[in-house]
Amino acid sequence: MSVIHKKVGRGNALKYGVDNQKTFLLEKECLEKLAKNYECSCGLNTFHFPKIVCSYDIPNERGFVLTDCGNDLYYFWKKIYIEGRNRWNDDKLRNKIPVLEDQVNCIIRSLELNNIQHLDMGKKSTALNGSNLCLSRKGVLSLIDFDNFSFSTFKSIDFNISSIASAPI
């Protein structure tokens, strides 16, 4: 299992008037809630969010060691469009994502069941460039970066399979 290290409080905490410790505790609670109440509905029998391997909360430093969910979709977009690498092909990449629509619906279903709104998924967010969605080598789509979310009654977000299918990945 490969892991990543994520330090908490690099921007959103101050932007929204929340201190780093509160941001850390809320993100931890969110990821733990997703892990506790998760049921895969896409048929891949996988987890579409990062799992906490361990966390640390010491003076002046807070963060997580999380399971690695792969490269974000912006990475693939950059390879195809910005760097102009001919070996990357939109159709080839899409074909490497099994049951794409079912995976997106599985992610949305999990958020709904846990009353979690991922607030970086709106029209002006990083979701449109794919930086909060990751793709593993096995073709598993994952939603990451829960330092900007809300525990509230789930509201349908302007995010569905058509936004992924038409995204420049």
Side-chain angles (χ1 to χ4, degrees):
M1 165 180 60
S2 71
V3 297
I4 61 156
H5 296 265
K6 179 186 180 194
K7 291 186 179 179
V8 174
R10 296 183 312 182
N12 280 337
L14 296 176
K15 182 178 174 184
Y16 297 104
V18 179
D19 67 43
N20 288 346
Q21 185 172 27
K22 186 165 184 168
T23 299
F24 168 78
L25 293 173
L26 287 171
E27 186 166 2
K28 184 177 179 185
E29 182 181 356
C30 176
L31 292 173
E32 288 173 342
K33 187 174 184 181
L34 284 166
K36 182 179 177 185
N37 301 316
Y38 184 76
E39 290 180 23
C40 185
S41 62
C42 69
L44 294 179
N45 195 27
T46 191
F47 193 65
H48 296 282
F49 307 95
K51 289 182 182 176
I52 299 173
V53 176
C54 69
S55 60
Y56 51 94
D57 186 2
I58 55 178
N60 301 319
E61 191 170 344
R62 293 170 183 86
F64 301 99
V65 177
L66 302 168
T67 53
D68 187 357
C69 294
N71 289 312
D72 62 43
L73 294 183
Y74 179 73
Y75 167 85
F76 295 106
W77 179 82
K78 191 171 99 174
K79 294 289 181 202
I80 296 168
Y81 293 101
I82 295 176
E83 295 176 11
R85 299 212 175 156
N86 293 330
R87 65 188 178 100
W88 294 95
N89 177 295
D90 283 4
D91 294 329
K92 276 186 182 177
L93 183 59
R94 282 187 218 287
N95 291 335
K96 289 184 179 185
I97 307 174
V99 292
L100 174 62
E101 186 170 347
D102 292 340
Q103 288 192 63
V104 170
N105 289 333
C106 188
I107 291 168
I108 292 171
R109 180 177 172 271
S110 293
L111 295 173
E112 287 175 341
L113 286 173
N114 290 288
N115 289 320
I116 294 171
Q117 287 188 271
H118 192 292
L119 300 176
D120 267 350
M121 299 301 291
K123 289 184 178 182
K124 294 183 179 181
S125 75
T126 55
L128 294 180
N129 71 21
S131 65
N132 284 340
L133 290 168
C134 289
L135 183 64
S136 76
R137 291 179 186 208
K138 294 180 180 180
V140 174
L141 196 62
S142 296
L143 181 61
I144 63 165
D145 200 6
F146 284 86
D147 62 350
N148 189 7
F149 78 96
S150 171
F151 284 125
S152 62
T153 304
F154 185 86
K155 294 178 185 172
S156 180
I157 50 179
D158 188 17
F159 173 75
N160 55 36
I161 188 61
S162 61
S163 64
I164 295 286
S166 64
I169 57 171

